[in-house]
Amino acid sequence: PNILASFQNAFPDVHIQLKVAPSNNILVMIENSLVDVGVIELDTELKKFATTLFHDQELVLCVSKNHRLATQKTVSVTDLLREPWIMREEGSSTRDVIAEYFVKQGIVLERLNLAMELGSPEAIKAAVESGRGISILPKGSVTKELQLGTLACLHLNPILTRTTAFVMKPQKFPLKIVAELI
C-alpha cells in the first residue's frame, strides 16, 4: 500500500485497483487480461509470463503480546509443535512456502496443532492478537501491529524468506505506466 500510495501521488490520473488473491487466481486474472500486473510469490517457473523480481521478504513467527514466547528473539520450529497454529487456507502460496520450510526442518504440516485456517493476513493477525494461536507471516505485513505492541514477532531459526515478483503477460510493447510502477 505505501508503494501504491507514492505511485498514485506521482500519477494521480492512473486508476489503481488492488486485489488480494491466491497466486493461482492472480495468474488467471493476468492471463484473462482482468489485471495488468500482479505481485506474487515466485515459487515456480512461470514460462508464459514476464516476471521482474520485486524483493525477498522474511517471514516471522507472530505471537500475541502476552504469549510465553513474546520476549524471545528467535525460536526453532521444533519448539512449536504443540502450539495452536493459525494458517492461511490451502492453495495459498504463503502456506505452501511455510509447508516447504517445515518439511526442510523434518516436520510435516499434519504434525502441527492446526487451530484455524483463514483467508487473509488481517484475519490471521486478529486471531493471533486475541491469543487463539501463533502464525508465520511476512515481516512487512506486521509493521503496524509491532509499533502498537499488539503482536510480538520472532525470527525463525533457520530464517525463512520468500521472493516476490511482478508478473504480467509478455508484451512486445508493455504499457509505459506498468513499467513505471515496476
Side-chain angles (χ1 to χ4, degrees):
N2 292 338
I3 293 170
L4 293 178
S6 296
F7 182 79
Q8 191 73 68
N9 288 337
F11 301 95
D13 295 333
V14 175
H15 174 71
I16 296 176
Q17 186 177 13
L18 178 64
K19 296 180 180 192
V20 179
S23 296
N24 289 342
N25 295 7
I26 291 172
L27 293 175
V28 168
M29 286 187 264
I30 293 168
E31 198 167 32
N32 293 318
S33 300
L34 299 173
V35 297
D36 295 312
V37 64
V39 178
I40 65 167
E41 193 161 313
L42 195 59
D43 57 353
T44 58
E45 192 174 328
L46 303 168
K47 291 182 181 179
K48 60 182 176 179
F49 296 97
T51 60
T52 303
L53 293 182
F54 182 37
H55 72 96
D56 291 327
Q57 186 173 50
E58 181 181 3
L59 281 80
V60 292
L61 178 76
C62 296
V63 299
S64 72
K65 66 179 180 179
N66 299 320
H67 194 278
R68 65 179 179 80
L69 297 171
T71 58
Q72 293 189 20
K73 297 286 184 216
T74 62
V75 66
S76 164
V77 175
T78 54
D79 297 334
L80 305 170
L81 291 178
R82 286 177 285 203
E83 295 288 335
W85 280 86
I86 302 167
M87 302 284 281
R88 284 291 304 262
E89 76 284 3
E90 286 191 33
S92 159
S93 60
T94 301
R95 182 181 173 130
D96 292 343
V97 166
I98 293 168
E100 183 179 319
Y101 175 81
F102 280 119
V103 168
K104 287 180 182 175
Q105 307 310 310
I107 299 167
V108 291
L109 220 52
E110 290 76 24
R111 283 187 56 202
L112 296 181
N113 175 13
L114 187 57
M116 287 186 206
E117 293 178 272
L118 300 171
S120 76
E122 294 304 316
I124 291 172
K125 290 187 288 188
V128 172
E129 284 173 330
S130 69
R132 297 283 184 225
I134 64 175
S135 190
I136 295 175
L137 293 165
K139 188 176 181 180
S141 72
V142 293
T143 305
K144 180 177 76 174
E145 291 78 10
L146 290 173
Q147 289 172 345
L148 294 172
T150 60
L151 284 179
C153 293
L154 298 79
H155 299 282
L156 293 165
N157 184 14
I159 290 176
L160 172 58
T161 60
R162 69 176 182 178
T163 300
T164 55
F166 290 102
V167 181
M168 62 185 156
K169 279 184 174 180
Q171 299 172 346
K172 201 171 202 176
F173 303 104
L175 294 171
K176 274 187 164 182
I177 200 68
V178 172
E180 188 67 38
L181 172 65
I182 292 170

